[in-house]
Amino acid sequence: MTSGSVLRRCFHNPGRVTIISTIRGKRPYYNKSPTTFKSELFCPFCPGNEKYTPPATLALHISTNGKYVFFSEKESGEISTWVVRVFPNKYPALAPKLNINLAYGYHEVLVETRIHNEEKYLKDPRNVYFALKTLKERIKRILEDPKIKHVIVIKNKGVRAGASITHPHLQIFANTFIPPEIGNEIFGFKRFFEENSECPLCYLLSTYRELIYYSNESFASLIAYAPRVPYETYIVPFKHTFSFLNISDNEMYDLSTTLSRTLLTLKKVLGDFDYNLWFHTIYDSSLSFYHWHIEILPLTTTWGGYEKGAGVYIVDKFPENVASELRNAISEEK
Amino acid sequence: MTSGSVLRRCFHNPGRVTIISTIRGKRPYYNKSPTTFKSELFCPFCPGNEKYTPPATLALHISTNGKYVFFSEKESGEISTWVVRVFPNKYPALAPKLNINLAYGYHEVLVETRIHNEEKYLKDPRNVYFALKTLKERIKRILEDPKIKHVIVIKNKGVRAGASITHPHLQIFANTFIPPEIGNEIFGFKRFFEENSECPLCYLLSTYRELIYYSNESFASLIAYAPRVPYETYIVPFKHTFSFLNISDNEMYDLSTTLSRTLLTLKKVLGDFDYNLWFHTIYDSSLSFYHWHIEILPLTTTWGGYEKGAGVYIVDKFPENVASELRNAISEEK
């Protein structure tokens, strides 16, 4: 089906309904906010400007013999050759201290690379690999704090995504509670499994292959079955496991390639685009029905009251057509 | 408490957690997208341009002796003296026809007034009264269709809110299912009632009076206890009832005054601002624990991945302080 309108309910998150309506795409007004920043004269995340951010809680250094070394600047002092750098957010929403007037938790920034330009950074998947390796290590260490129940990792790219700095960086939020959206998914995965004796994401991967637009041995990139924006993408490991922390080093490399290819392909099709990205993972092995994944929301449309107030999302393209468009963009490169 | 950071969970919607963090307000970058439309030479909702929109399913006419007359343009033809006009969306996401390639439902536009400028329109609450009276009538008639399970009414104002036309108008979405956000609230109201033998909104009105910034005999305007944006406002009837359709004509007039005063006060404090607004109401008397209300989201901040991917909202002002700021703005007028 390539035109008209249908209703779809997300398999793994009961809080979402999508109406696919190709007629809506014909509306005369289509507003895009600018994605440029007013002042880009100074970047606090670029090498040389470390003093403008707090000391790193974790940084990755690669020694001359190729060995990965993790260090904290509080203990080791600054090492100017860092490859990836993690530090507390200068304007935190949470802090790992009791008795002060701030909600307990961790709110950190992970500078993914020394390279200021995202496209340049993405072109070599090894850069992404270094960032992910450091991310995994930092999450592990934060989880040693028994007060922390969950860690969510997000990325905001561009003004429309809520970003204030362009240099490639992730944000880490470690909470003393399970965030509502993770709770919704735990509920959704559990119910789908009880009703179908199968994981909803495993089902999606095996049954809706036409939604997949990139894959390698370990991961697939696909357009969501019930997307909230036309190009909403999931990156899903083929191997069912509840946690990002469970992936092997080989899988980590495949994930780096997947992330790099996915974002560059979207950029090729959409031009410069703003996006939100997050890791949906849990850390509790008793909830092994959960299937961890990454969600990417390219912000090409604006949500209105129906989306926010009803939880019903209107998109103007069929997910199967979007996936096909992206597959074509990839095959043209070969 | 006026500084620092605290965590709050919404009483009636379990899908929402807010972190109030006054430190976040000190971030150096604060981006506001423009709210102006490129071309405003022609307005299809202004009187005289009726032929550019579909025939009205319902319109309000006030006869020379002051009587309210509802008519449909399909039956009565066009009456150029309409006061409020409702018609199917030209680019619908839903349509009330079977056997065509469109999800079943109603997607209509309610032009609230002949007046193009919102501020002018709001300054006389009678204008709002006419719009609400017509809205109530149209919802009633749509609900005569047995396939319709729920009707949600929304308003998008400005580019950031997803609007494409500035002339004051509401949108009506009638669905064959209960929208997810309404489902979340039904669950939340029920649970709060079971645990506390009280309605969460009645509790809020009686216990958190410092959040109220405007009230009259029938309605209160208050800042949300766990807001998703700093100025998030609820308009709540003092009388507990599950449905907007249950309000009397007197209450309708009080609601018009409340809406008018609330939006004009927010405008006084925020300047020109974009917003989403929706009616959260149900129509099923067996769920009488529900308390209908209006929610207004002034879009002064941009949601990022934490808000969208975790369901955790960071605001940089204490709701009690925001309410006090708005109370002051109102009292200055007297």
Side-chain angles (χ1 to χ4, degrees), chain A residues 4-196:
Chain A
S5 155
V6 297
L7 200 89
R8 286 187 181 176
R9 201 173 277 272
C10 175
F11 290 131
H12 68 281
N13 190 329
R16 269 192 252 148
V17 169
T18 293
I19 296 170
I20 305 163
S21 163
T22 54
I23 295 169
R24 294 285 291 170
K26 299 189 176 68
R27 283 198 300 172
Y29 306 84
Y30 219 85
N31 294 296
K32 266 200 176 186
S33 302
T35 65
T36 46
F37 289 91
K38 269 177 205 159
S39 124
E40 257 284 275
L41 297 170
F42 169 78
C43 173
F45 295 172
C46 270
N49 295 336
E50 293 80 2
K51 63 176 170 297
Y52 296 101
T53 54
T57 49
L58 191 74
L60 171 66
H61 167 73
I62 301 176
S63 68
T64 43
N65 59 7
K67 238 187 101 183
Y68 299 114
V69 184
F70 288 115
F71 64 98
S72 114
E73 285 178 354
K74 263 196 181 156
E75 288 156 21
S76 321
E78 199 183 292
I79 298 182
S80 63
T81 56
W82 59 267
V83 177
V84 180
R85 203 168 161 263
V86 193
F87 47 83
N89 194 303
K90 213 171 168 180
Y91 304 92
L94 306 157
K97 285 175 193 159
L98 289 175
N99 300 325
I100 70 156
N101 205 357
L102 208 59
Y104 192 90
Y106 297 75
H107 181 187
E108 301 193 344
V109 172
L110 184 150
V111 175
E112 298 168 72
T113 171
R114 300 172 74 84
I115 304 169
H116 183 77
N117 178 279
E118 194 195 39
E119 196 171 356
K120 247 191 238 171
Y121 156 68
L122 287 173
K123 278 197 170 146
D124 186 346
R126 277 178 307 178
N127 296 329
V128 182
Y129 172 79
F130 299 144
L132 291 177
K133 198 173 174 68
T134 311
L135 176 65
K136 188 176 167 183
E137 182 66 22
R138 185 59 194 145
I139 294 175
K140 271 189 190 165
R141 295 193 187 184
I142 289 176
L143 285 171
E144 287 169 8
D145 181 339
K147 283 187 283 298
I148 294 304
K149 291 278 177 300
H150 190 267
V151 181
I152 189 164
V153 177
I154 66 121
K155 180 166 182 168
N156 297 333
K157 165 78 172 24
V159 174
R160 281 162 67 93
S164 49
I165 288 174
T166 52
H167 194 117
H169 67 286
L170 303 170
Q171 288 187 67
I172 300 171
F173 291 88
N175 293 117
T176 54
F177 58 91
I178 301 289
E181 273 295 299
I182 301 293
N184 281 345
E185 286 202 353
I186 290 172
F187 176 83
F189 272 99
K190 189 159 184 277
R191 192 172 64 178
F192 192 95
F193 191 85
E194 283 166 359
E195 287 173 2
N196 304 281

Side-chain angles (χ1 to χ4, degrees), chain A residues 14 23 43-44 78 163 214 228 231 264-265 268 294:
Chain A
I23 295 169
C43 173
E78 199 183 292
Y214 170 81
R228 285 163 289 182
Y231 289 82
L264 290 173
T265 302
K268 192 181 161 192
I294 292 172

Side-chain angles (χ1 to χ4, degrees), chain A residues 3-5 15 21 24 26 91-93 101-103 107 156 160-161 173 175 179-181 276 278 280 302 304-306 308-310, chain B residues 3-5 15 21 24 26 91-93 101-103 107 156 160-161 173 175 179-181 276 278 280 302 304-306 308-310:
Chain A
S3 70
S5 155
S21 163
R24 294 285 291 170
K26 299 189 176 68
Y91 304 92
N101 205 357
L102 208 59
H107 181 187
N156 297 333
R160 281 162 67 93
F173 291 88
N175 293 117
E181 273 295 299
N276 298 117
W278 49 79
H280 270 176
T302 305
Y306 195 40
K308 295 176 193 162
Chain B
S3 70
S5 155
S21 164
R24 295 285 291 171
K26 300 188 175 68
Y91 304 92
N101 205 358
L102 208 59
H107 181 187
N156 298 333
R160 281 162 67 93
F173 291 88
N175 293 118
E181 274 295 299
N276 297 117
W278 49 78
H280 270 176
T302 305
Y306 195 41
K308 295 176 194 162

